Amino acid sequence: MRVHKLTFAALAVAAGLSLTACQNDNAGTGQSDPSSPSSVSSSGGGSDSGSSDQGGAKNSAGTSSTTNSGGTGTAAGTGSNANAKVGKCRTDELEITAKDNTIDGDPDGTVVVTLTNHSGRDCTISGYAGVDLKTSAGSLSAKRTGQQAGSAILKNGKSTYFPVNYPFNKSGGSGVRITGLVVTPPDETKSVTLNWPGAATLPVTDGSGSPVKVGPVGSAGQGG
């Protein structure tokens, strides 16, 4: 009986060792199994983020409301950007004219320059135009008045105005004869030469500064 008991005990120990070994093997397999889905998930995430086509397919197949919302947002953004990026008024898109607007009793003469948008689109215009008088003594650049210049959108077909002020020739002499008016719209380099509609001459100056002044666009009445 003692021999049988020892044999049973030995078998029990062997069975226990075998069971422990099996459990260790299973435990090792169990540690490696989660790593496989984790790796696939990471790989899948990398694939989604790396490929816009795959991400887009999932989004559009997943929720149509997101796609619709995105489309609406894009359209709204385009409209907003379009309004924010209205192009500036170009010289070739403007009809530029000038007329005398001097009022009896004024100490100085006034010529109003009209800028009419005929581009077929709205455009932005702001600041001071360049103004030069062509005279018998050479070109004379008008000096800015320093008045605050606002920014505005000039609708297609609409006009804006600015004044050119100059002194009357009261010297009794022949003065300086004016032969033309050169206008360069704000932020442009191309100019337009017009007939001068004001008084024929300017008084001769001592060269201390230009006697001709120009106001910002939008600072004059409607050329009347």
Side-chain angles (χ1 to χ4, degrees), residues 10-218:
L11 290 173
V13 171
L17 292 174
S18 175
L19 179 60
T20 301
C22 292
Q23 287 177 345
N24 287 338
D25 290 342
N26 289 338
T29 305
Q31 288 177 359
S32 63
D33 286 344
S35 70
S36 178
S38 175
S39 175
V40 170
S41 174
S42 174
S43 158
S47 176
D48 286 346
S49 62
S51 170
S52 60
D53 291 341
Q54 290 180 2
K58 288 186 178 180
N59 288 339
S60 101
T63 45
S64 58
S65 60
T66 302
T67 302
N68 292 338
S69 173
T72 303
T74 300
T78 300
S80 176
N81 289 339
N83 290 336
K85 295 181 179 178
V86 174
K88 66 181 180 181
C89 300
R90 300 288 186 178
T91 302
D92 290 338
E93 299 174 333
L94 297 170
E95 180 185 1
I96 304 176
T97 59
K99 66 179 295 185
D100 181 32
N101 198 39
T102 303
I103 298 175
D104 290 342
D106 282 354
D108 295 319
T110 300
V111 166
V112 169
V113 177
T114 302
L115 309 170
T116 303
N117 179 9
H118 64 81
S119 65
R121 64 178 179 88
D122 298 345
C123 59
T124 59
I125 189 166
S126 63
Y128 285 81
V131 171
D132 297 280
L133 268 60
K134 297 172 70 175
T135 75
S136 56
S139 180
L140 177 65
S141 296
K143 183 178 179 180
R144 296 178 178 183
T145 61
Q147 184 178 345
Q148 182 70 30
S151 179
I153 293 178
L154 185 59
K155 298 290 186 181
N156 181 48
K158 299 299 182 179
S159 301
T160 189
Y161 315 84
F162 67 85
V164 179
N165 301 112
Y166 62 97
F168 293 119
N169 180 18
K170 299 178 180 179
S171 65
S174 59
V176 178
R177 185 168 56 88
I178 305 173
T179 59
L181 171 65
V182 182
V183 176
T184 308
D187 300 320
E188 282 290 274
T189 56
K190 186 174 182 178
S191 303
V192 173
T193 301
L194 308 172
N195 292 326
W196 172 252
T201 62
L202 292 173
V204 176
T205 64
D206 58 6
S208 59
S210 174
V212 182
K213 311 292 182 184
V214 57
V217 170

